[in-house]
Amino acid sequence: MFSLGPIAFASPGLLLLLLALPILWLILRAVPPAPITRRFPGVALLLGLNDPESETDKTPWWLLLLRALAVAAMILGFAGPILNPDERTPGNGPLLIAADASWASARDWSARQDRLEALLSEAARDGRPVALVTLTDLPPAEIAFGAPEAERARLPGVQPQPWPVHGAEVLDWLAAVEGAFDTFWMSDGLDWEGRADVLAALEARGTVRVFESPRAVFGLTPAQISDGDVTAQVLRSPAAGERALTVIARGPGPNGITRELGRSEITFEAGATSAEAAFDLPPELRNRITRFEIPGQTTAGAVSLADDALRRREIALFAGRDDREGLELLTPLHYLRRALTPTADILEVPLVDALPANPDVIILADVAQLAPSEAEGLEAWVENGGLLLRFAGPRLAASDVSRTSEDPLMPVRLRAGGRSVGGAMSWGEPKSLRPFAETSPFFGLPLPEDVTVTAQVMAQPDPSLPDRVIAALTDGTPLVTRKALGQGQVVLIHVTANAEWSSLPLSGLFVQMLERLAVSSRPAALTAEALAGTTWVAEQVLGPYGTLEDAGQLAGIPGEDLAEAPLSADVPPGLYAGGDRRLARNVLGPEAALAPAVWPASITVEGMEAQQDQPLAGWLLTAALMLLALDILAALWLSGRLRQSHRAAPAALVLAALLAMTPVPGQAQGVPDDVLALEATSAVVLAHVRTGDAQLDTTALAGLRGLSRVLTQRTSIEPAEPITVDLETDELAFFPFLYWPVTDRQPLPSAEAYAKLNRYLRGGGMILFDTRDADVSRFGNDSQGMRTLRALAAPLDVPPLEPLPADHVLTRTFYLLQDFPGRHQGRTLWVEAAPPDAEQVEGMPFRNLNDGVTPVVIGGNDWAAAWATDENGRAMVPIGRGFSGRQQRELAYRFGVNLIMHVLTGNYKSDQVHVPALLERLGQ
């Protein structure tokens, strides 16, 4: 391939024909233009006469130039010119495309998919077998190299994972792979353990090219409480100049809807890789926080889930005797204060004042008798979900509480007096603790050898006693008992809260037992030792784009693995439950750091933007044909054959220009209003708003074409070919429905266009706004699509909106639907809110909503991509996999049918006459 600057030629030998252009010039000059024929009888007298000197008439220079340019354009066109050619050397042999596909790759995954598709196209041109592998979801050791077309077909299903790459697993996998191959490595831009060894292993198999995104990676560490403030470290890679960011704390508001609870503005100093976000929130708001996030960063690492470590419990302390002045170490509450103050808010007020405050835990240290009003209030509080923790002591041992019958506020019946072991007047040695049973919440906690018991209150033998003992001494006597009371529970520790009866309060085991009972919040960093013996079940898992998803049937995870095992498909990031406790496993830990990947000088590192080849042959050959057409017209003009009509030549030139600028079918731009009106009113015509993004506009037009075909096949509606409308120049009143795909690159319409849109909405038209981002955000989140939509829709006269209710007519205009997927699914659909007086009539399954059609529908499922078909009716965009993908596309078509039927027929399906048929179809 021969190159001249940015242009290369596939057949450079043909360029030698350009050297013949001067010869062609001379030949054309020697050939005169065609003579003009005139019939004149007198010419017969001149026959036989010879002119001794004859001179040929010259061809005009501009005509010679026109012909030379036409020939030159043909020569250049046949030489195969290419703008911005790929100057790489075509490879051969197997090709491995390895994508990190970690949480950091999710920040621009769509661009990575485009780059992967370009790589597959390169491999197809070179005729190379390809294998596409994600390093966070490794295939079996046997690599199946196949056709690039097969890998391209499964490319839409390749997604990042919400965990980093594990270098040791990749090395083990490569060690089992046989054969030589070249590698395209799509890096996430971060350094990880073992990356250099993986690179060396790949270089041993063949050449390696690396692709990286220039965008920075941001992450959040778990939030902690420091000096009364909630703080979280914000990380970035690589270090760059000064940059400002926002961190938002979210949680349920008083109405239960997730909202912003706090906001922290941070600034990265130039060259800094971390900054601290601080939130000064009252305890009520702090305890509601469920997650922290960085707006605009759609990765799992830019989200930090909150759990019990952040929620400071409110604990009320009461003691039967706390009046030993000067003997602080002997007070019943001293060790409890020391253990709980770092992680909980302590409340020490009379019990009658504490109950209205509704603390999380109430602790009674050697409290025997309670007033009847206090006992009744305390029992009601426990039944509503409270935790009552009681400690024994001399007063409880000497009282008659729970002797003959079990007290509601005691887990077991007690024997009179108590037991003393290891003293001067007792038999035997002090007792130590028995290892905790598997059914105990303390199972797995290590037992310090120096923890002994010298006195305790004894439980009366009872059939239910074995089920209520959760900790015992080596001789089998209970140390901790527990019972359920309503929605709460009562726990009794059979020794004192100070060190009089045991050394338990002096040990770290005391704090761990309180944490296991959910009395205190756990520290921010957990160890396998602290969670040993526990099992945790995932409630919600964190997706790669930072969204919480249902955990499904994920198996329980041992506490040791949850604390220290690397994140993977078996231990995904998310929120886990273990009894009354909640634990969040985030992508980044408290000590995490983000370091950029550094590559050796021998490795070629390219950006994500692929330079596309642009063939110029078609343009040059078209130009040559146009020049030859002009040459024909000029020759006819010079010969006088066009002089009979002075308007013929201009008309021919105008006709040639019109033919060269024939508009693409389906485009309304530039069409006169009367022509557009005729096309749009002769039949039902669906239209979409021109966005300026060529690919998006093509997909939208193809989507409406596919939906029109389905409407024709399944309903009495037979739409004509869809049309692309320009908000600035085209009339909108002809179209009952407009599809508006939202893109951040679309300029805001003018004031005249907004006035036209408001007239259209008030006149009964409907606009479907599609942000196309349901795969990375939820409605209400501050995503790029939602910010753009808010900017676009701000001047529009949009009525109040609400999430689509279950009885809305859109769910049954033609098909009975509950979900409305497109290329994505799971996004909330928003429509005009029902009037406040809309009530369900007796005997009807739906509210009486007979008038009006919602003028605006808002969603983000990218319906046009699911509807899109080519001219032959084949789907253009793959949706899902196998049967589930076909079912998803079918539901997308059904939603489109319901939408158009709703636009054209209104809410007639709410009429009473349809109720019997609908009830029969619903099976009620």
Side-chain angles (χ1 to χ4, degrees):
M1 185 176 287
F2 175 70
S3 298
L4 289 175
I7 300 178
F9 295 90
S11 302
L14 294 177
L15 297 178
L16 296 176
L17 296 177
L18 294 175
L19 300 177
L21 284 180
I23 301 176
L24 180 63
W25 179 280
L26 296 176
I27 294 175
L28 292 176
R29 282 180 59 87
V31 177
I36 302 174
T37 303
R38 291 285 187 269
R39 293 185 176 276
F40 179 62
V43 176
L45 300 175
L46 303 178
L47 294 177
L49 298 178
N50 295 321
D51 189 355
E53 295 183 4
S54 60
E55 183 176 352
T56 304
D57 192 9
K58 301 293 192 310
T59 302
W61 67 269
W62 55 267
L63 185 59
L64 291 177
L65 179 62
L66 186 67
R67 292 172 178 175
L69 290 176
V71 174
M74 285 191 291
I75 294 174
L76 292 174
F78 286 120
I82 300 175
L83 181 63
N84 297 325
D86 185 3
E87 299 180 356
R88 65 183 179 85
T89 303
N92 52 57
L95 175 66
L96 173 66
I97 300 179
D100 281 352
S102 67
W103 66 268
S105 301
R107 67 190 189 276
D108 50 9
W109 186 249
S110 58
R112 292 173 184 270
Q113 284 186 311
D114 294 340
R115 192 67 185 93
L116 289 173
E117 187 170 3
L119 291 174
L120 293 172
S121 299
E122 289 181 12
R125 287 198 301 267
D126 297 341
R128 308 182 69 179
V130 174
L132 175 58
V133 173
T134 57
L135 300 186
T136 50
D137 187 13
L138 294 170
E142 190 93 19
I143 296 183
F145 290 98
E149 291 76 12
E151 297 294 338
R152 187 184 290 113
R154 75 179 189 91
L155 184 58
V158 178
Q159 293 294 323
Q161 301 296 339
W163 51 78
V165 180
H166 303 308
E169 295 181 5
V170 179
L171 283 174
D172 293 342
W173 175 77
L174 284 174
V177 175
E178 299 179 354
F181 48 82
D182 294 337
T183 303
F184 287 137
W185 188 347
M186 183 164 287
S187 170
D188 60 8
L190 297 179
D191 193 16
W192 34 267
E193 187 177 355
R195 185 183 58 83
D197 296 332
V198 172
L199 176 61
L202 291 175
E203 285 188 294
R205 305 299 182 92
T207 60
V208 178
R209 288 168 59 190
V210 174
F211 300 86
E212 275 191 356
S213 172
R215 291 185 58 186
V217 183
F218 293 92
L220 273 176
T221 63
Q224 302 180 9
I225 298 178
S226 176
D227 297 331
D229 290 341
V230 179
T231 62
Q233 290 295 319
V234 186
L235 310 177
R236 72 168 174 175
S237 174
E242 183 176 307
R243 177 164 179 176
L245 277 182
T246 301
V247 181
I248 294 178
R250 296 190 183 275
N255 57 359
I257 299 177
T258 300
R259 56 183 292 268
E260 180 181 323
L261 300 180
R263 177 182 292 257
S264 176
E265 305 291 341
I266 66 167
T267 301
F268 282 98
E269 301 294 337
T273 59
S274 65
E276 184 177 82
F279 299 84
D280 184 10
L281 299 173
E284 293 79 7
L285 288 181
R286 183 184 62 210
N287 290 343
R288 289 181 184 173
I289 296 176
T290 58
R291 61 185 280 155
F292 299 85
E293 61 184 34
I294 305 175
Q297 301 296 321
T298 54
T299 67
V303 172
S304 176
L305 301 178
D307 57 11
D308 292 345
L310 186 63
R311 186 173 182 268
R312 289 177 64 92
R313 293 177 177 267
E314 189 175 48
I315 301 176
L317 300 180
F318 304 94
R321 53 188 177 90
D322 198 5
D323 54 359
R324 298 189 182 182
E325 218 175 289
L327 300 176
E328 183 178 355
L329 295 180
L330 296 180
T331 61
L333 299 181
H334 171 73
Y335 294 101
L336 285 171
R337 294 190 189 103
R338 293 282 302 273
L340 297 175
T341 299
T343 59
D345 295 326
I346 305 301
L347 183 66
E348 295 190 52
V349 295
L351 185 59
V352 292
D353 297 329
L355 289 175
N358 193 27
D360 297 291
V361 183
I362 292 179
I363 298 180
L364 303 181
D366 194 20
V367 174
Q369 297 292 340
L370 293 171
S373 60
E374 292 178 332
E376 291 177 4
L378 190 57
E379 183 177 352
W381 174 82
V382 174
E383 289 178 344
N384 288 328
L387 170 62
L388 175 61
L389 176 62
R390 306 190 68 159
F391 284 86
R395 289 194 176 191
L396 184 62
S399 70
D400 294 331
V401 174
S402 199
R403 289 284 187 266
T404 58
S405 61
E406 182 180 307
D407 189 281
L409 298 178
M410 294 290 289
V412 293
R413 291 190 301 125
L414 300 177
R415 292 183 181 181
R419 183 175 77 151
S420 177
V421 292
M425 302 298 293
S426 63
W427 295 92
E429 298 294 330
K431 303 299 181 183
S432 58
L433 277 63
R434 173 187 291 179
F436 300 114
E438 293 185 5
T439 57
S440 169
F442 311 129
F443 177 70
L445 292 179
L447 299 178
E449 296 181 357
D450 56 347
V451 174
T452 59
V453 174
T454 58
Q456 67 181 130
V457 293
M458 301 292 292
Q460 289 277 15
D462 190 271
S464 61
L465 181 61
D467 296 331
R468 298 184 180 183
V469 176
I470 57 177
L473 301 180
T474 52
D475 61 359
T477 55
L479 175 65
V480 184
T481 53
R482 178 177 65 175
K483 78 170 183 180
L485 180 62
Q487 298 180 8
Q489 55 183 341
V490 179
V491 179
L492 173 63
I493 298 180
H494 292 239
V495 295
T496 57
N498 57 19
E500 286 188 71
W501 287 14
S502 76
S503 59
L504 178 62
L506 303 176
S507 69
L509 179 63
F510 185 65
V511 178
Q512 292 176 323
M513 292 175 69
L514 292 177
E515 193 273 316
R516 289 287 183 95
L517 289 172
V519 174
S520 65
S521 302
R522 65 169 181 84
L526 275 179
T527 62
E529 182 181 7
L531 293 183
T534 60
T535 300
W536 298 78
V537 178
E539 291 185 332
Q540 291 179 303
V541 295
L542 197 62
Y545 302 104
T547 57
L548 278 175
E549 305 167 359
D550 184 68
Q553 300 298 320
L554 191 66
I557 300 174
E560 300 90 333
D561 293 342
L562 187 60
E564 297 185 353
L567 294 174
S568 65
D570 297 326
V571 187
L575 191 63
Y576 292 81
D580 294 332
R581 296 181 293 168
R582 296 295 181 271
L583 189 151
R585 182 71 192 270
N586 289 297
V587 173
L588 300 176
E591 305 299 327
L594 300 181
V598 179
W599 303 95
S602 59
I603 298 297
T604 301
V605 180
E606 305 175 15
M608 297 300 300
E609 294 295 331
Q611 183 172 274
Q612 298 292 332
D613 298 345
Q614 182 63 44
L616 301 178
W619 294 96
L620 289 172
L621 293 177
T622 301
L625 289 176
M626 294 181 64
L627 291 174
L628 290 177
L630 291 177
D631 175 70
I632 293 173
L633 293 175
L636 292 175
W637 177 265
L638 291 176
S639 65
R641 297 179 183 179
L642 295 182
R643 293 180 182 177
Q644 296 177 358
S645 175
H646 296 289
R647 297 180 181 178
L653 292 174
V654 171
L655 178 61
L658 289 177
L659 290 176
M661 296 183 293
T662 302
V664 179
Q667 305 293 320
Q669 187 178 19
V671 178
D673 289 343
D674 53 350
V675 177
L676 177 62
L678 183 61
E679 293 180 359
T681 56
S682 59
V684 175
V685 177
L686 309 182
H688 79 90
V689 174
R690 183 190 305 277
T691 65
D693 186 323
Q695 182 176 359
L696 183 58
D697 289 338
T698 301
T699 302
L701 190 64
L704 295 182
R705 183 191 305 119
L707 180 58
S708 299
R709 181 178 288 109
V710 170
L711 287 166
T712 302
Q713 294 171 349
R714 305 184 185 184
T715 72
S716 59
I717 305 173
E718 298 182 358
E721 189 71 16
I723 291 179
T724 302
V725 297
D726 191 309
L727 297 178
E728 304 294 339
T729 60
D730 296 330
E731 178 57 51
L732 306 181
F734 306 132
F735 308 99
F737 171 79
L738 285 180
Y739 175 74
W740 192 334
V742 177
T743 172
D744 56 353
R745 292 183 293 273
Q746 181 178 6
L748 291 177
S750 63
E752 292 77 9
Y754 275 119
K756 190 187 305 181
L757 283 167
N758 284 325
R759 288 196 304 270
Y760 173 77
L761 293 175
R762 298 187 190 106
M766 174 192 284
I767 301 178
L768 172 59
F769 290 97
D770 191 351
T771 58
R772 304 176 298 109
D773 60 354
D775 57 331
V776 296
S777 65
R778 295 173 296 172
F779 193 82
N781 282 6
D782 195 19
S783 66
Q784 181 62 44
M786 289 310 304
R787 290 196 296 270
T788 304
L789 176 58
R790 283 196 292 269
L792 287 173
L796 293 180
D797 186 12
V798 177
L801 303 178
E802 68 176 355
L804 185 77
D807 64 344
H808 196 276
V809 72
L810 263 179
T811 63
R812 59 187 188 279
T813 48
F814 195 84
Y815 292 103
L816 295 177
L817 297 177
Q818 295 179 343
D819 300 314
F820 310 95
R823 185 164 69 96
H824 312 304
Q825 54 185 344
R827 181 74 172 266
T828 304
L829 199 66
W830 290 74
V831 296
E832 181 182 6
D837 57 350
E839 297 181 356
Q840 183 171 329
V841 181
E842 184 178 357
M844 292 182 61
F846 314 111
R847 287 176 296 175
N848 189 11
L849 302 172
N850 287 335
D851 297 324
V853 174
T854 175
V856 172
V857 178
I858 299 177
N861 290 340
D862 198 0
W863 288 285
W867 299 335
T869 60
D870 59 17
E871 297 293 342
N872 298 320
R874 292 189 296 265
M876 295 175 56
V877 180
I879 304 295
R881 296 183 181 180
F883 174 77
S884 63
R886 294 192 296 271
Q887 183 71 10
Q888 183 174 335
R889 191 188 302 276
E890 172 61 23
L891 289 177
Y893 278 130
R894 293 187 179 189
F895 166 68
V897 171
N898 275 21
L899 194 65
I900 302 305
M901 294 292 287
H902 177 53
V903 172
L904 299 179
T905 64
N907 289 337
Y908 85 106
K909 275 295 182 73
S910 292
D911 293 342
Q912 181 73 27
V913 69
H914 297 282
V915 170
L918 288 171
L919 287 176
E920 181 180 354
R921 293 179 62 192
L922 287 170
Q924 298 180 358

